[in-house]
Amino acid sequence: MTRKLLVYFLTLLTLTFTFFTPTATALLRQHQESPGVMRYHSQTSIKDETGHAWQVILYKVNNPGASSDINLRLVGFPSIVKFEHPKALEVMTAHGLLLTAPDVYALGSPAPNVGEYKFTGVLNQLPTTKSLKLNLPLSGSDTQIKIPTNIITEWQMLVTEFD
């Protein structure tokens, strides 16, 4: 009887972790944009509180002689979302600290569903052990995306490993 109970418990535990863990995983990538210019990025897909998927891309370009800012690009589904430019991105840490990232596309976006924010200053202030929330400045209503801890850890690796 105890063996059968153990099998049921292990099955329930496996199903719980399969269905209730965050599905956001990212991968650090690098590629050469042009001779001597390297681009490093972390890209993942995360759903907002309404179930819409977002591409979340943190990247930096190492170009000798130029600053290597880190930007966060957010891409929503076309015709469903529209960013309000030049509003800043609000970042809320688990400890209640509110940070802002300035809009890179203040003068014009490549598409209405694309937002990009200068993230260098924000990234240096993020705790590595807690998740955070991004308040996306969209036309009509703001939307929130939760960024899990494993993605934040990867973002920190982007800074430390590719300097």
Side-chain angles (χ1 to χ4, degrees):
M1 183 71 168
T2 57
R3 182 176 177 168
K4 193 173 186 180
L5 186 60
L6 180 63
V7 170
Y8 285 129
F9 176 73
L10 290 175
T11 303
L12 180 63
L13 188 63
T14 302
L15 289 173
T16 299
F17 281 115
T18 302
F19 292 111
F20 297 108
T21 55
T23 58
T25 56
L27 175 66
L28 288 178
R29 299 177 181 146
Q30 63 181 356
H31 66 274
Q32 188 170 1
E33 284 196 346
S34 61
V37 178
M38 294 297 293
R39 177 186 171 114
Y40 306 96
H41 69 272
S42 166
Q43 180 174 344
T44 189
S45 180
I46 298 177
K47 290 186 179 180
D48 64 23
E49 72 268 6
T50 63
H52 293 112
W54 290 85
Q55 286 298 308
V56 179
I57 305 152
L58 184 81
Y59 75 92
K60 76 179 201 174
V61 177
N62 280 356
N63 187 356
S67 69
S68 57
D69 285 327
I70 298 172
N71 285 359
L72 181 67
R73 182 176 295 154
L74 302 162
V75 182
F77 198 78
S79 75
I80 292 182
V81 298
K82 181 180 178 186
F83 279 90
E84 201 173 292
H85 299 287
K87 276 181 97 175
L89 175 70
E90 293 181 344
V91 180
M92 178 68 73
T93 68
H95 300 297
L97 179 63
L98 180 64
L99 306 168
T100 58
D103 191 351
V104 172
Y105 294 144
L107 300 177
S109 170
N113 63 311
V114 179
E116 188 164 325
Y117 303 90
K118 194 168 286 219
F119 215 66
T120 308
V122 171
L123 193 58
N124 295 332
Q125 298 180 58
L126 295 180
T128 58
T129 58
K130 300 285 183 182
S131 62
L132 59 89
K133 293 178 182 174
L134 303 178
N135 295 321
L136 310 183
L138 303 177
S139 295
S141 67
D142 290 350
T143 297
Q144 199 171 75
I145 296 176
K146 183 177 178 184
I147 306 294
T149 307
N150 65 318
I151 302 301
I152 297 167
T153 302
E154 184 167 299
W155 289 358
Q156 299 292 345
M157 287 173 49
L158 182 83
V159 173
T160 58
E161 290 187 18
F162 300 110
D163 258 345

